[in-house]
Amino acid sequence: MAIRKIKYQRVYENVIEQIKEMIIEGNLKPGDLLPTERELAQAFGISRGTLREAFRILERENLIETKPGGGRYLSRSIESIEDQNRILDNIERATIIELLEAREIFETGIVQLACERATEEDIAEIVAAFERWGAEDEEDHTRPDQAFHLSIAKASHNVVLINIMELHMDLLRRTLSKTLQNAGRREEVYREHQQIVEAIKRRDAEQAKAALLHHLQKVKENILVKQTF
């Protein structure tokens, strides 16, 4: 079985592609033993946490059976497009939850540096990105959301943190596209972003971090509410 190492900048797309190839398209057949967790995580180039969550989803769908001391086996094939879409959607959500955990770590550092280092031009860019996000005539709110978070990263004046944010732009877009489906979520995000902006303008790093963590917690809650089984 040929497994390709996943490109870091497209983790989600490559995970889904290879899981689909291995299970949905018949590279693994019912009764086949899956490679070990360590082998798959190393081959894919992803964390074992993401892989375990994917396995939990597949077990709930009765696609994977875990035998104590005997590894994981493919229980059945996927017969319908509906099954495929639901399973892939749940794997995507698991990937997003892991991203949100990481964001709690690196974005709190970003907003602290932004409060310390932002120039007046940086703050003006953050405010402009925030205002574009809130525009009523904006058809796709995912792009202004990306611009908003990236503008804060740029205000940190740390090229590594800026690159980390840029690498996750696609998952940021996917996250917002899912949560905006929830009633009233767009207005909530606007207020959450506003609190972050106001704290940065005051250069209040502790309040900015608290506002960011509150925002990410609300995002996580909305993702979990919409999870499908």
Side-chain angles (χ1 to χ4, degrees), residues 11-79:
V11 173
Y12 166 72
E13 288 84 354
N14 284 281
V15 170
I16 295 303
E17 177 186 347
Q18 295 204 54
I19 289 177
K20 181 176 180 179
E21 288 178 359
M22 291 173 62
I23 298 175
I24 296 176
E25 296 182 355
N27 292 329
L28 286 173
K29 295 178 174 59
D32 285 353
L33 176 67
L34 274 68
T36 67
E37 185 177 284
R38 174 180 290 181
E39 290 170 339
L40 284 175
Q42 184 174 3
F44 284 156
I46 61 173
S47 77
R48 293 174 74 169
T50 295
L51 193 60
R52 288 179 191 135
E53 183 60 27
F55 279 138
R56 282 195 289 270
I57 293 166
L58 295 173
E59 286 171 355
R60 285 199 297 265
E61 297 288 339
N62 296 317
L63 288 169
I64 298 296
E65 179 184 1
T66 301
K67 297 181 179 180
R72 294 182 173 94
Y73 293 79
L74 183 64
S75 300
R76 65 178 178 87
S77 58
I78 301 176
E79 299 177 354

Side-chain angles (χ1 to χ4, degrees), residues 16 18 22 28 55 76 82 126 143 148 169 204 223:
I16 295 303
Q18 295 204 54
M22 291 173 62
L28 286 173
F55 279 138
R76 65 178 178 87
E82 290 76 13
I126 293 170
R143 295 188 184 281
F148 173 70
M169 284 293 102
D204 186 338
I223 286 290

Side-chain angles (χ1 to χ4, degrees), residues 16 18 20 23 27 33 55 59 70 80 90 102 105-107 130 146 154 167 170 176 178-179 187 201 204-205 215 229:
I16 295 303
Q18 295 204 54
K20 181 176 180 179
I23 298 175
N27 292 329
L33 176 67
F55 279 138
E59 286 171 355
S80 71
N90 281 337
I105 297 172
F106 68 77
E107 283 197 65
F130 167 67
Q146 291 173 307
K154 289 179 178 178
L167 286 172
D170 182 63
L176 187 65
K178 287 185 177 296
T179 58
E187 291 76 15
K201 287 169 66 177
D204 186 338
H215 169 59
F229 297 95

Side-chain angles (χ1 to χ4, degrees), residues 9-191:
Q9 67 269 26
R10 298 191 65 192
V11 173
Y12 166 72
E13 288 84 354
N14 284 281
V15 170
I16 295 303
E17 177 186 347
Q18 295 204 54
I19 289 177
K20 181 176 180 179
E21 288 178 359
M22 291 173 62
I23 298 175
I24 296 176
E25 296 182 355
N27 292 329
L28 286 173
K29 295 178 174 59
D32 285 353
L33 176 67
L34 274 68
T36 67
E37 185 177 284
R38 174 180 290 181
E39 290 170 339
L40 284 175
Q42 184 174 3
F44 284 156
I46 61 173
S47 77
R48 293 174 74 169
T50 295
L51 193 60
R52 288 179 191 135
E53 183 60 27
F55 279 138
R56 282 195 289 270
I57 293 166
L58 295 173
E59 286 171 355
R60 285 199 297 265
E61 297 288 339
N62 296 317
L63 288 169
I64 298 296
E65 179 184 1
T66 301
K67 297 181 179 180
R72 294 182 173 94
Y73 293 79
L74 183 64
S75 300
R76 65 178 178 87
S77 58
I78 301 176
E79 299 177 354
S80 71
I81 295 298
E82 290 76 13
D83 275 350
Q84 293 182 23
N85 290 340
R86 183 181 65 256
I87 291 164
L88 296 180
D89 185 62
N90 281 337
I91 293 172
E92 178 181 30
R93 291 176 193 279
T95 306
I96 289 173
I97 291 298
E98 187 163 273
L99 171 69
L100 290 171
E101 291 177 353
R103 288 179 64 187
E104 289 178 359
I105 297 172
F106 68 77
E107 283 197 65
T108 49
I110 285 173
V111 295
Q112 175 160 343
L113 289 178
C115 288
E116 296 171 358
R117 301 177 177 178
T119 65
E120 292 304 315
E121 290 77 11
D122 292 330
I123 291 177
E125 183 177 344
I126 293 170
V127 171
F130 167 67
E131 291 175 345
R132 285 197 301 273
W133 194 94
E136 293 292 338
D137 59 351
E138 184 66 53
E139 293 184 3
D140 182 4
H141 286 282
T142 62
R143 295 188 184 281
D145 182 72
Q146 291 173 307
F148 173 70
H149 288 284
L150 187 57
S151 69
I152 297 174
K154 289 179 178 178
S156 74
H157 294 274
N158 182 303
V159 68
V160 175
L161 292 173
I162 295 169
N163 288 338
I164 288 174
M165 186 62 70
E166 289 177 333
L167 286 172
H168 294 91
M169 284 293 102
D170 182 63
L171 268 176
L172 285 174
R173 180 183 62 78
R174 292 175 186 272
T175 302
L176 187 65
S177 67
K178 287 185 177 296
T179 58
L180 285 185
Q181 299 171 15
N182 298 356
R185 182 58 189 152
R186 180 174 173 274
E187 291 76 15
E188 289 179 351
V189 173
Y190 180 85
R191 291 193 295 271

